[in-house]
Amino acid sequence: MMRIVILGAGQAAASMAARLRANGHDGPLTVIGAESAAPYQRPPLSKAYLLGEMGVDRLVLRAPEWWREQGIELRLEECAVSIDRARRKVTTDRGEIEYDALALTLGAAPRRLPAEIGGELPGVHVIRNLSDVDLMAPEMQPGRRLVVIGGGYIGLEAAAVARKLGLEVTLVEAAQRILGRVAAPETADMIRALHRAHGVEIIEGVTVTRLTGDGRVTGVTLGDGRTLPADLAVTGIGIMPETDLARNAGLALDNGIATNEFGQSSDPAIWAAGDCASFPWRGGRIRLESVGNAIDMAEAVADNILGAARPYIARPWFWSDQFDAKLQIAGLGTDYDRIVTRPGDGAHGGSVWYFAGTELRAVDALNDARAYMIGKRLIEAGRSPDPDLVPGVPDLKTLLA
């Protein structure tokens, strides 16, 4: 009758709880989350939910009765305060709960601009959870001027939704180009062209020095001296793994809560999965911010809590919907030394193939599902096509032969 407690009530928590029950764990199982909503999908928040095309009922991962039928105690609007590793107890703002195995699926928090430069002015928003989007959505009115700060996927998705809703949108990226940390220049070129074709102004290589306004944001001052008028602003400058509980409990940290290949922290009774956890990868260590990783790692950890001793082997994949285009990514585009591109069928489409020597590392496919699926199959099988064949081969399926 092992007592399992999961802290954090997002995608990873829901996947882990379901896997534990499916694997036959019939002991006490508790999921504790700070939000008022039951575990829900986060990716649609900056897309379909913000557009008003998806309601909360479709965001929720499991119906309320499922939690009851599975005998899982789902405790919402409850914040974990500390972990007593010696006594194997978690203290929350409502009391204490004992555990035999504790899983941390705490996710990540958005980076915010400092208050001293106007980062906390009303009208300045982040996009991470349901309440963030519920606060911002009423402000997304046609004709209003939005400044998006940050040219990563969250910022670009917010810019696309705002344009579809009829706002005037300017996106500012401090680095020399958008998607600088996560994609090759060739992918960034396709995404930039897509946004400009839809009327988004993109300013790259310029910092934000201050958000101005008396009681509410009215402008964004740039490092080159310009001030952009703003009725509202969205900051999409990255996220930070939630590690305070782990740090205060004395767990090892390394770009998140450091786990071994089984998802186990430096305390054998404490496990971690999802955005908050880093794990071994190709002789180093990585942390992946994606739904796929949250699900797969959580399920592996559930297996291992119950004794499977199954190493977690990540198979990274990602996606981003912008306007009516879909960017699909297979693999991890790091440590590459060669890029090969292949044109797509439409004006905004094509694929970007990342190679390290002759090894295929990743594929970015914009409006090109075939390139994505074939690239994903190749990467997961550990196979690499001849880079010189990719651009011109008439049928990509022949690369699988």
Side-chain angles (χ1 to χ4, degrees), residues 7 13 31 42 52 81 97 111 147 156 262 288 335 339 394 399:
L7 296 184
V31 177
R42 292 190 189 276
V81 176
I97 181 169
R111 296 181 183 273
V147 176
L156 288 161
F262 306 113
L288 293 177
D335 301 322
I339 290 292
L399 300 179

Side-chain angles (χ1 to χ4, degrees), residues 265-277:
S265 78
S266 54
D267 182 328
I270 302 179
W271 309 72
D275 289 0
C276 69

Side-chain angles (χ1 to χ4, degrees), residues 271-293:
W271 309 72
D275 289 0
C276 69
S278 66
F279 55 90
W281 170 265
R282 293 184 171 178
R285 178 170 291 276
I286 62 169
R287 183 176 59 83
L288 293 177
E289 300 166 2
S290 74
V291 170
N293 177 68

Side-chain angles (χ1 to χ4, degrees), residues 121-122 211-219:
L121 281 170
L211 285 78
T212 59
D214 183 11
R216 178 182 175 83
V217 67
T218 57

Side-chain angles (χ1 to χ4, degrees), residues 24-46:
H25 173 66
D26 57 4
L29 178 53
T30 304
V31 177
I32 300 174
E35 292 188 64
S36 59
Y40 59 86
Q41 307 172 67
R42 292 190 189 276
L45 290 178
S46 59

Side-chain angles (χ1 to χ4, degrees), residues 119-363:
E120 295 182 3
L121 281 170
V124 179
H125 299 275
V126 295
I127 300 176
R128 183 61 184 173
N129 59 35
L130 197 56
S131 60
D132 292 334
V133 180
D134 285 344
L135 182 65
M136 182 175 67
E139 295 201 49
M140 302 284 276
Q141 299 298 324
R144 302 193 79 193
R145 298 164 299 184
L146 167 66
V147 176
V148 177
I149 302 165
Y153 288 122
I154 289 294
L156 288 161
E157 289 169 2
V161 168
R163 281 300 294 147
K164 291 183 78 170
L165 291 172
L167 284 78
E168 299 299 320
V169 181
T170 302
L171 183 144
V172 181
E173 169 55 55
Q176 291 305 304
R177 64 173 177 86
I178 59 172
L179 301 176
R181 294 185 301 108
V182 294
E186 290 82 355
T187 300
D189 290 346
M190 289 194 297
I191 298 298
R192 185 188 303 105
L194 172 70
H195 277 257
R196 286 181 171 162
H198 284 84
V200 177
E201 181 184 3
I202 295 180
I203 300 172
E204 296 164 297
V206 181
T207 59
V208 169
T209 59
R210 178 167 293 278
L211 285 78
T212 59
D214 183 11
R216 178 182 175 83
V217 67
T218 57
V220 176
T221 300
L222 306 182
D224 61 9
R226 283 181 288 173
T227 296
L228 306 174
D231 298 302
L232 68 158
V234 170
T235 56
I237 53 175
I239 61 175
M240 300 176 293
E242 290 280 15
T243 57
D244 287 349
L245 271 176
R247 177 183 293 105
N248 293 338
L251 299 178
L253 304 180
D254 186 349
N255 184 26
I257 302 166
T259 71
N260 62 15
E261 67 270 31
F262 306 113
Q264 199 169 31
S265 78
S266 54
D267 182 328
I270 302 179
W271 309 72
D275 289 0
C276 69
S278 66
F279 55 90
W281 170 265
R282 293 184 171 178
R285 178 170 291 276
I286 62 169
R287 183 176 59 83
L288 293 177
E289 300 166 2
S290 74
V291 170
N293 177 68
I295 295 170
D296 294 346
M297 189 176 186
E299 291 182 346
V301 167
D303 294 348
N304 293 332
I305 288 174
L306 300 182
R310 175 170 71 89
Y312 174 55
I313 301 172
R315 293 177 172 84
W317 59 274
F318 314 86
W319 83 93
S320 178
D321 294 328
Q322 298 173 39
F323 300 104
D324 295 322
K326 179 178 285 292
L327 176 66
Q328 295 171 286
I329 303 164
L332 204 58
T334 57
D335 301 322
Y336 63 91
D337 54 27
R338 182 177 180 185
I339 290 292
V340 175
T341 62
R342 181 181 172 89
D345 294 331
H348 298 292
S351 55
V352 176
W353 300 62
Y354 299 69
F355 287 87
T358 58
E359 180 189 355
L360 178 63
R361 289 289 178 88
V363 175

